[in-house]
Amino acid sequence: MIQTVDLYKSFGDLQVLKGINEHVAPQEVISIIGPSGGGKSTFLRCLNMLETPDSGKIFFEGVDITSEKVDIDLHRQKMGMVFQHFNVFPHLSVLENVTLAPTVVKKIAKNEATEQAMELLNRVGLAEKANESATSLSGGQKQRLAIVRALAMEPDVMLFDEPTSALDPEMVGEVLDVIKGLVKNGMTSVIVTHEMGFAKEVSDRVVFMDGGIVAEEGTPDEVFNHPQNPRTKDFLGKVLY
Amino acid sequence: MFSFENIIMLWQDYWQIFIFEGLKYTLILSAIAVFFGVIFGSFIAFGRMSDIRPFKIINKYNENNNAILKAVANFNPVSFICEVYTEVIRGTPLLLQLYFFVFLIPKVLPFINQFNAVALALSFNSAAYVSELFRSGIQAVDKGQTEAARSLGMNKTQTMLRVILPQAIKNILPAVGNEFIAIIKETSMASTFFVGDLMTSYLVVRGATYLALESLIIIGVIYLVVTFTLSKLIGKYERKLNSK
Ligand SMILES: Nc1ncnc2c1ncn2[C@@H]1O[C@H](COP(=O)(O)OP(=O)(O)OP(=O)(O)O)[C@@H](O)[C@H]1O
Ligand SMILES: [Mg+2]
């Protein structure tokens, strides 16, 4: 579904991605783990071209989206993204956060979009909050809203960038449960996370990124229980205990 | 000699001049300046934030990253012109700009009278300041908002209109109100050309009565009442915006 070929990216003199070749198959769930600054977010943000890679190609559903000829907005509709800091729209109500993109981008009729949004909000337990301001929500609620907002565009793949890192510990569970539900229903997902237990549980494949390269990857069992690369061992030793 | 009674007497005799030949035109000039300042200013702001790079294509052929070629490729002429305009206006005194317009306009556009020339100068002046208010108001909106909107497939225009501007307006409106207050005070420079504003009415009354200090105190109080009231109103409005 997504394939990256030799992805390179620098910020000034700092080389952040040094040749990433990855493939995300339909319905696959991939967790990206690794030390801070290793390029995880940058890689994820390249996947929907929020960052433009310096070189390399990204194929999404067969189209090279790094090409200047493609209408990136069209392809982004098919890739939902969830951010560490939620980025809900504070000037809109909970419901409007969800209906904005479908009505503006897809030109779906308001009542139809509302109906679909209410159904989604209901699924994550936010239906009663529909008419409240998005700013009145707790962190966990904001992140659930952000997920639903992305889902309203009916994406083929979801990209999560540390969706629980900015949450109070007691709210982490409610957000992870929503993601687990999605994944169980076959949503293709790429998840950057520091929640090792969660990564172990939901992933088909775990990718360990360090220093701008994929240092190791494999099934959760391979990476977590039998890491080969000393850097993976070192990292896991630090985060697991 | 200066006396309190003189102030009262002056006010009784000349209040109509202060209000209808002075304050009225000060407010009209300020309103014109802010009105056109907002219109021109928003164009300048968007010009500066635009991404128009006509020589972008050079980047593709600039394989060994030549710094000069890179600068040319990233050159945005619209943004450059807007920036130069803003810097020139903000870097030179308003009085100089007023002189410039009042001398220049009759030469190129003889049908424009001096009052309008002054109004034009004030408008061009406030455009530069307002454009900066727009720009900083827009840039103060968290970058994550743009990213969230773009990641949903919204294009640049949709993102600007539906996500960024509605949030930026809360920063911009009070700032434009404060700009209006600043302009009210700056219009006093228009009196240099005797076009009729609060400061001009001071010159008129002083000329007729030789009571300089008393006249000054009167127009000072008028300026103060107007600016103080406006700033209180803006503060109230700002609190209302923020509580929402
Ligand atoms: N827009 C940017 N401008 C300059 N440097 C950046 C930018 N974005 C990221 N970087 C730098 O690139 C490096 C990799 O960043 P990235 O966010 O991809 O790491 P990460 O693996 O996601 O780390 P973390 O776990 O802390 O989120 C970091 O050193 C970061 O400071
Ligand atoms: Mg990150």
Side-chain angles (χ1 to χ4, degrees):
Chain A
M1 180 171 281
I2 307 179
Q3 176 147 24
T4 70
V5 182
D6 250 353
L7 227 47
Y8 281 82
K9 174 75 185 176
S10 305
F11 293 110
D13 289 336
L14 182 70
Q15 211 171 34
V16 179
L17 299 181
K18 304 173 186 166
I20 309 281
N21 292 285
E22 272 298 333
H23 180 252
V24 185
Q27 311 223 320
E28 194 179 18
V29 178
I30 296 181
S31 292
I32 304 179
I33 61 169
S36 184
K40 305 180 298 293
S41 299
T42 307
F43 172 65
L44 195 74
R45 292 157 55 81
C46 278
L47 295 183
N48 67 352
M49 294 291 285
L50 279 185
E51 298 296 352
T52 313
D54 298 335
S55 68
K57 290 190 188 320
I58 301 162
F59 293 94
F60 175 57
E61 298 181 331
V63 180
D64 176 12
I65 56 172
T66 60
S67 157
E68 279 182 21
K69 289 190 201 83
V70 304
D71 179 4
I72 188 63
D73 298 326
L74 221 55
H75 297 283
R76 282 194 182 129
Q77 294 177 33
K78 296 270 129 208
M79 309 169 118
M81 188 171 230
V82 173
F83 302 85
Q84 184 175 352
H85 296 288
F86 331 131
N87 300 344
V88 296
F89 301 137
H91 60 299
L92 299 178
S93 72
V94 169
L95 178 64
E96 288 164 339
N97 261 272
V98 185
T99 56
L100 181 70
T103 51
V104 169
V105 179
K106 285 190 174 172
K107 318 276 184 219
I108 290 176
K110 188 102 181 217
N111 51 355
E112 198 181 320
T114 302
E115 201 174 307
Q116 180 212 21
M118 287 309 296
E119 204 172 292
L120 284 167
L121 285 171
N122 198 27
R123 237 203 272 167
V124 298
L126 287 176
E128 315 88 88
K129 304 265 179 194
N131 294 314
E132 284 176 33
S133 160
T135 49
S136 70
L137 300 181
S138 72
Q141 291 170 330
K142 278 182 185 156
Q143 196 61 302
R144 282 184 276 153
L145 171 61
I147 294 172
V148 160
R149 175 179 66 180
L151 292 177
M153 290 301 285
E154 301 176 318
D156 295 337
V157 54
M158 286 287 287
L159 312 172
F160 297 89
D161 191 359
E162 299 195 30
T164 59
S165 295
L167 293 176
D168 292 336
E170 71 270 20
M171 295 176 180
V172 170
E174 62 191 62
V175 171
L176 292 184
D177 284 343
V178 171
I179 301 175
K180 279 181 204 166
L182 274 178
V183 163
K184 216 172 279 164
N185 283 326
M187 175 62 79
T188 313
S189 303
V190 183
I191 310 168
V192 175
T193 184
H194 286 300
E195 298 283 334
M196 295 305 149
F198 171 73
K200 213 172 192 170
E201 185 187 336
V202 301
S203 315
D204 298 313
R205 189 149 51 95
V206 176
V207 173
F208 174 69
M209 275 186 76
D210 187 15
I213 57 163
V214 174
E216 181 159 2
E217 64 181 311
T219 63
D221 181 52
E222 285 168 351
V223 175
F224 286 114
N225 301 334
H226 313 286
Q228 302 298 313
N229 190 316
R231 287 194 296 182
T232 319
K233 284 179 198 168
D234 187 44
F235 172 75
L236 289 174
K238 276 183 200 144
V239 294
L240 290 179
Y241 306 106
Chain B
M1 261 323 286
F2 169 76
S3 81
F4 217 65
E5 286 80 57
N6 279 345
I7 295 182
I8 297 186
M9 183 206 79
L10 260 190
W11 175 251
Q12 281 170 344
D13 290 352
Y14 293 100
W15 69 272
Q16 280 172 319
I17 291 187
F18 287 125
I19 300 297
F20 293 114
E21 285 173 31
L23 180 62
K24 182 178 148 195
Y25 289 103
T26 284
L27 291 178
I28 289 177
L29 273 177
S30 308
I32 292 175
V34 169
F35 180 77
F36 288 106
V38 164
I39 293 176
F40 300 156
S42 51
F43 277 109
I44 296 166
F46 285 111
R48 274 198 78 172
M49 292 183 296
S50 69
D51 186 29
I52 303 164
R53 286 176 294 166
F55 312 114
K56 197 158 69 180
I57 193 154
I58 295 176
N59 268 335
K60 229 178 251 169
Y61 303 101
N62 184 18
E63 261 136 33
N64 31 10
N65 246 322
N66 181 307
I68 296 171
L69 283 179
K70 206 166 163 184
V72 173
N74 291 329
F75 179 67
N76 178 338
V78 175
S79 171
F80 178 74
I81 290 168
C82 292
E83 188 178 346
V84 167
Y85 176 83
T86 315
E87 293 305 327
V88 167
I89 295 285
R90 300 199 314 161
T92 56
L94 172 61
L95 194 54
L96 183 153
Q97 295 159 24
L98 283 167
Y99 271 111
F100 185 79
F101 274 86
V102 168
F103 289 144
L104 175 83
I105 294 268
K107 295 217 169 84
V108 289
L109 302 165
F111 51 90
I112 291 186
N113 65 25
Q114 206 168 40
F115 181 83
N116 288 336
V118 166
L120 209 58
L122 287 169
S123 301
F124 282 131
N125 177 272
S126 96
Y129 289 91
V130 169
S131 80
E132 288 297 284
L133 300 180
F134 266 74
R135 217 162 62 96
S136 57
I138 285 168
Q139 281 169 349
V141 177
D142 182 16
K143 252 186 75 198
Q145 293 291 309
T146 306
E147 294 182 348
R150 296 305 304 273
S151 77
L152 290 163
M154 296 170 75
N155 64 29
K156 276 188 186 168
T157 315
Q158 290 163 341
T159 301
M160 186 49 82
L161 292 179
R162 305 301 296 262
V163 175
I164 306 305
L165 278 183
Q167 296 181 56
I169 211 83
K170 288 186 187 184
N171 312 327
I172 294 171
L173 279 184
V176 168
N178 289 326
E179 171 67 11
F180 185 59
I181 292 176
I183 290 178
I184 286 176
K185 289 178 281 177
E186 282 170 355
T187 50
S188 60
M189 292 193 200
S191 65
T192 313
F193 310 98
F194 227 75
V195 292
D197 74 305
L198 206 44
M199 202 68 184
T200 309
S201 71
Y202 151 76
L203 296 174
V204 170
V205 173
R206 187 194 64 182
T209 62
Y210 298 102
L211 294 172
L213 221 45
E214 289 84 345
S215 315
L216 268 184
I217 287 173
I218 288 177
I219 66 157
V221 169
I222 298 177
Y223 275 121
L224 203 58
V225 167
V226 172
T227 54
F228 183 79
T229 313
L230 280 172
S231 93
K232 283 287 157 212
L233 284 175
I234 292 165
K236 211 169 147 185
Y237 180 69
E238 205 172 356
R239 275 193 299 280
K240 208 175 108 192
L241 276 180
N242 285 332
S243 69
K244 257 198 279 190

